[in-house]
């Protein structure tokens, strides 16, 4: 795995960040926010499940677009309380890079200023728009097993398994399973067979459902009681 400490970026169409370390874009070139909503919010059934104290965890914080989409949904639901959002990130982007990437998503950009201000100040744990956000910096293979975490829903959002195999290894998927509450769920855009097998071995009941846009399938899972 590359070991630079920060994201090393190219830009496609001026706004889509592409990782030089992994040679892969951070989100779908079609419509990243719509894909996030389909894969991670709907894939974890969050519209019916989000409530005070609910805990979302994520592999790959990137720009924070998934976090912003969660904040938008939580605001739309109008429920009281705080949702916890813990994300794992080895190569953090810098605030101006995140700000540039979010220009492609006016809805997310419209609420992002307090997040960007805190991120620019170096905060990696902060309150934002009804979320309590913690971004754990470092290789998730080391940092996740060290966390005392029982998430209700997981966003598995590494770069593609072919380009970022570290973030999809059977060992890490086992750590995800161990860090999931009973009846907790996971969702990911990939339908790669080895990822589905690893998640099954990690204790999830796995289902393949229609993917976003041109992707035929994606994967969701539930940890049974
Ligand atoms: C597809 S991007 C995530 C996009 C992000 N969820 C968003 O909303 O912008 C994948 C992320 O995984 C991170 N990553 C890759 N390998 C990692 C590792 N071993 N541990 C932690 N993060 C890793 C990358 O730096 C990148 O930010």
């Amino acid at each position: 795995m590359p070991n630079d400490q920060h994201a090393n970026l190219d830009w496609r169409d001026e706004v889509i960040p592409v990782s030089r370390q992994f040679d892969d874009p951070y989100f779908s070139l079609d419509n990243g926010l719509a894909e996030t909503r389909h894969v991670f919010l709907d894939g974890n059934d969050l519209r019916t499940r989000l409530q005070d104290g609910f805990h979302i965890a994520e592999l790959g914080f990137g720009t924070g677009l998934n976090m912003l989409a969660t904040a938008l949904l939580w605001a739309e639901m109008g429920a009281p309380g705080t949702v916890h959002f813990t994300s794992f990130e080895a190569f953090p982007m810098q605030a101006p890079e995140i700000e540039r990437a979010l220009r492609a998503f006016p809805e997310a950009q419209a609420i992002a200023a307090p997040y960007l201000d805190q991120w620019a100040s170096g905060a990696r744990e902060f309150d934002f728009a009804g979320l309590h956000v913690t971004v754990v910096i470092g290789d998730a293979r080391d940092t996740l097993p060290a966390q005392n975490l029982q998430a209700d829903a997981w966003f598995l959002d590494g770069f593609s398994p072919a380009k970022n195999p570290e973030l999809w290894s059977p060992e890490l998927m086992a750590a995800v399973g161990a860090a999931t509450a009973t009846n907790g769920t996971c969702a990911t855009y990939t339908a790669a067979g080895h990822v589905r097998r690893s998640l099954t071995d990690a204790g999830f009941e796995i289902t393949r459902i229609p993917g976003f846009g041109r992707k035929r399938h994606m994967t969701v899972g539930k940890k049974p009681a």
Side-chain angles (χ1 to χ4, degrees):
M1 185 169 103
N3 58 6
D4 329 32
Q5 282 180 344
H6 288 281
N8 184 356
L9 304 174
D10 273 330
W11 294 86
R12 197 172 294 169
D13 301 334
E14 295 298 312
V15 284
I16 305 286
V18 180
S19 166
R20 282 199 193 123
Q21 284 127 324
F22 294 98
D23 183 31
D24 216 18
Y26 277 70
F27 22 68
S28 144
L29 306 180
D30 286 340
N31 182 346
L33 187 53
E35 177 161 15
T36 284
R37 287 176 163 144
H38 176 80
V39 174
F40 298 112
L41 305 188
D42 298 344
N44 283 297
D45 207 11
L46 293 189
R47 189 172 283 279
T48 60
R49 293 175 67 213
L50 274 192
Q51 56 175 321
D52 183 29
F54 193 90
H55 201 145
I56 296 169
E58 174 182 62
L59 291 182
F61 183 71
T63 63
L65 182 66
N66 294 344
M67 182 270 292
L68 290 162
T70 304
L72 286 166
L73 172 62
W74 186 228
E76 194 188 312
M77 289 169 64
T82 303
V83 168
H84 296 266
F85 191 100
T86 300
S87 187
F88 295 86
E89 177 54 60
F91 306 103
M93 290 172 69
Q94 303 191 30
E97 297 169 330
I98 295 175
E99 191 274 325
R100 177 172 172 181
L102 294 178
R103 285 180 212 162
F105 309 109
E107 229 186 312
Q109 186 189 29
I111 63 163
Y115 148 53
L116 288 168
D117 288 348
Q118 296 184 84
W119 192 262
S121 78
R124 298 296 177 259
E125 181 169 357
F126 50 88
D127 291 310
F128 166 69
L131 308 185
H132 184 76
V133 180
T134 306
V135 182
V136 181
I137 303 296
D139 188 331
R141 291 174 297 178
D142 302 325
T143 56
L144 170 54
Q147 293 282 315
N148 187 12
L149 178 64
Q150 286 290 285
D152 299 296
W154 274 94
F155 299 175
L156 304 178
D157 198 19
F159 290 117
S160 71
K163 294 186 167 166
N164 190 191
E166 310 89 342
L167 220 50
W168 304 96
S169 70
E171 294 76 16
L172 188 57
M173 295 302 97
V176 166
T180 305
T182 299
N183 291 321
T185 58
C186 64
T188 175
Y189 63 85
T190 183
H194 69 91
V195 172
R196 283 188 284 129
R197 282 190 292 279
S198 295
L199 288 169
T200 303
D201 291 346
F204 290 99
E205 286 172 352
I206 289 298
T207 314
R208 206 169 58 161
I209 64 170
F212 177 79
R214 281 168 294 167
K215 290 184 189 142
R216 278 180 58 204
H217 294 122
M218 57 170 272
T219 302
V220 295
K222 181 171 183 181
K223 187 167 168 175

